[in-house]
Amino acid sequence: MLTQIGYSLLGFVLAIGILIVVHEFGHYIVARSLGVKVLRFSVGFGKPLILRRAGADATEYVLAAVPLGGYVKMLDENEGDVPVAERHRAFNRQTLWKRTAIVLAGPGFNFLFAILAYWVVFMTGVPGLKPVIGKVAAHSPAQAAGLRAGDLIMRINGRRVQSLGQDRLYLFQKALEHSKVRVQVLTKGGHERVLTLDLRHVHARALSKGHLGQVLGISGWQPPLVPRIAEVFAHTPAARGGLRVGDLITRIGKQTITNWTQVAHIVRAHPLQPLHFDVRHHGRTRQLIITPKAVKVGARRIGQIGAGIRVPALPPNLRVVVRFGPLAALGAALKDTWLMSRLTVEMLGKMLMLEVSPKSISGPITIAQYAGYSVQVGFTSFLMFLGVVSISLGVLNLMPVPILDGGHVFFYLLEWVKGGPISEQAIGWGQRVGVTLLLGLMMLAFYNDITRILG
């Protein structure tokens, strides 16, 4: 059995390997189709572990030791001597539009892969929850709109809603635009209502920190969590306090307990403070004193006792699978890829404007964790994860930062405006700036990852 770390490593290596091949294959196939000689196609950096030569050009296909990137090496007079007979196939000898097309092909293939991944997922079917509102948070946009627990969300701005969270990207975009959204719901009493969800005061910083449902004040319906203990971990406050499997918690202090959410709330709010529990087991009631241990989460401490319950399965009538035919799935894939790309660019812009905290940047550790979770859930989840990361890589590579694809395109734009090549000195300085910026970004991402782990 794989541990969570094992799943994370497996998911990370699979995801990075697939997306590197996709990106570099874009450069490779367009370069070859435009007549440029490709010398090497490498997945990874450093010492080659596997090297094969194939084709009329004896192109080297390499799997290298450090799987954190890749590259396509083309014939280029700027990188070595080129025989006179092959100079017409050198990258640097190509017209401006050909060089631009080759450079843009890498990010372009990232977006094409995302569209393909979403298309397959939408045709296969995305499991979800029926869009029934379970709770509406006080003083939230949802409460101000008049949404109530038990309402079934039918349409958002005329768009049919089949599962909870199906329109999260659309709502995220509307929140960034500070718009109002029309929500059509069916009440528990069978009446249809059209409400206005006001997103004008939702701040981008809040969106970057939390789940969209939390920001809007909406959570899906969940079956009641009966506070009956199903697991007690050894050497924890619960075990030391005498809590046993099968105990039903009926009271903590003066508060009557009817669900596990109450227990979790009280325990989290009282680290290192003795709590008086009333529990019932086989008709007998016992009084226990349990002192939650303190656990640091972010900047605050919360209490934990080391016990859990068995979460009941959702009723079949609340489960849905959103599935489209081939053409409808392609349309949905195109829309989601465009929305995700646009949101990524907007969030990067707001980060530069300091409207969004840089703490929202994730590094390889966080990506590996999400990759591990998606692998465990199944093929559809992993494919969705690959689509999201592929879009992020596409957008990142299009940034006008020297050494990235977008930086090369920026130099080509300057070359077009100037009417001639940019000097080697200017390109060299630009690349130094680019390396510095990327190193700074990587250090920030690693710092954010480590901070999240340490809590």
Side-chain angles (χ1 to χ4, degrees), residues 10 64 85 117 136 138 140 158 185 187 218 324 334 343 378 395:
L10 173 64
V136 176
S140 66
V185 300
T187 68
I218 302 172
F324 300 98
L334 288 167
L343 287 172
V395 171

Side-chain angles (χ1 to χ4, degrees), residues 23 36 92 127 148 174 206 230 393:
H23 182 92
V36 176
N92 65 290
R148 303 168 187 161
K174 292 300 177 183
L393 287 176

Side-chain angles (χ1 to χ4, degrees), residues 70-403:
Y71 62 93
V72 170
K73 183 178 180 181
M74 291 168 264
L75 192 67
D76 194 317
E77 291 175 297
N78 294 319
E79 297 183 9
D81 293 332
V82 175
V84 175
E86 290 198 311
R87 285 179 183 172
H88 68 286
R89 301 187 67 193
F91 177 79
N92 65 290
R93 291 273 179 150
Q94 306 307 307
T95 60
L96 194 58
W97 78 264
K98 285 187 177 182
R99 282 180 281 145
T100 303
I102 292 168
V103 169
L104 289 177
F109 267 60
N110 282 128
F111 295 121
L112 288 174
F113 176 82
I115 293 169
L116 177 63
Y118 286 154
W119 182 58
V120 171
V121 166
F122 292 147
M123 285 195 299
T124 304
V126 182
L129 302 177
K130 195 173 181 179
V132 177
I133 297 176
K135 291 181 180 179
V136 176
H139 314 297
S140 66
Q143 186 188 57
L147 290 166
R148 303 168 187 161
D151 283 348
L152 172 66
I153 301 175
M154 300 175 66
R155 285 180 171 78
I156 295 176
N157 276 356
R159 299 157 60 102
R160 184 185 173 201
V161 179
Q162 300 180 65
S163 72
L164 199 66
Q166 178 185 346
D167 278 320
R168 65 192 181 283
L169 291 180
Y170 180 74
L171 283 173
F172 203 106
Q173 180 63 47
K174 292 300 177 183
L176 286 178
E177 294 173 357
H178 304 295
S179 302
K180 290 183 178 181
V181 175
R182 287 182 297 103
V183 182
Q184 183 180 345
V185 300
L186 183 68
T187 68
K188 287 190 290 186
H191 303 291
E192 288 192 16
R193 297 190 301 153
V194 178
L195 308 170
T196 300
L197 185 62
D198 191 348
L199 306 178
R200 292 177 300 172
H201 304 295
V202 175
H203 198 278
R205 190 176 294 270
L207 289 170
S208 69
K209 285 183 178 180
H211 187 276
L212 181 63
Q214 295 173 337
V215 175
L216 301 182
I218 302 172
S219 59
W221 187 90
Q222 295 288 337
L225 300 177
V226 178
R228 188 180 298 280
I229 302 302
E231 191 171 16
V232 177
F233 299 101
H235 313 298
T236 61
R240 289 191 292 269
L243 199 62
R244 300 198 299 258
V245 172
D247 284 345
L248 178 68
I249 300 172
T250 58
R251 182 180 293 272
I252 300 179
K254 296 181 179 181
Q255 182 170 343
T256 300
I257 300 298
T258 58
N259 62 73
W260 180 253
T261 304
Q262 293 172 295
V263 177
H265 179 75
I266 294 170
V267 168
R268 288 170 64 92
H270 294 85
L272 304 179
Q273 299 179 39
L275 297 174
H276 294 264
F277 283 67
D278 285 7
V279 300
R280 190 165 64 243
H281 197 155
H282 295 313
R284 297 180 58 189
T285 299
R286 308 191 326 272
Q287 284 79 39
L288 308 174
I289 298 177
I290 301 175
T291 303
K293 68 178 180 180
V295 177
K296 190 176 181 183
V297 176
R300 63 193 187 99
R301 294 190 309 169
I302 64 170
Q304 287 184 358
I305 61 172
I309 63 169
R310 184 173 290 106
V311 178
L314 284 169
N317 65 326
L318 285 177
R319 301 177 194 168
V320 295
V321 177
V322 180
R323 186 180 289 111
F324 300 98
L327 286 178
L330 180 59
L334 288 167
K335 286 179 182 177
D336 272 18
T337 301
W338 164 248
L339 270 176
M340 179 64 76
S341 304
R342 182 177 172 183
L343 287 172
T344 303
V345 171
E346 289 188 18
M347 292 302 285
L348 285 171
K350 290 183 179 295
M351 199 175 297
L352 292 174
M353 299 297 292
L354 303 180
E355 294 181 38
V356 172
S357 172
K359 291 182 180 179
S360 59
I361 296 176
S362 297
I365 298 174
T366 300
I367 293 172
Q369 289 175 334
Y370 281 112
Y373 296 145
S374 66
V375 165
Q376 288 177 269
V377 173
F379 173 74
T380 300
S381 177
F382 185 60
L383 204 53
M384 286 287 284
F385 169 78
L386 285 178
V388 171
V389 179
S390 192
I391 290 170
S392 298
L393 287 176
V395 171
L396 180 65
N397 271 283
L398 286 177
M399 292 177 65
V401 176
I403 82 168

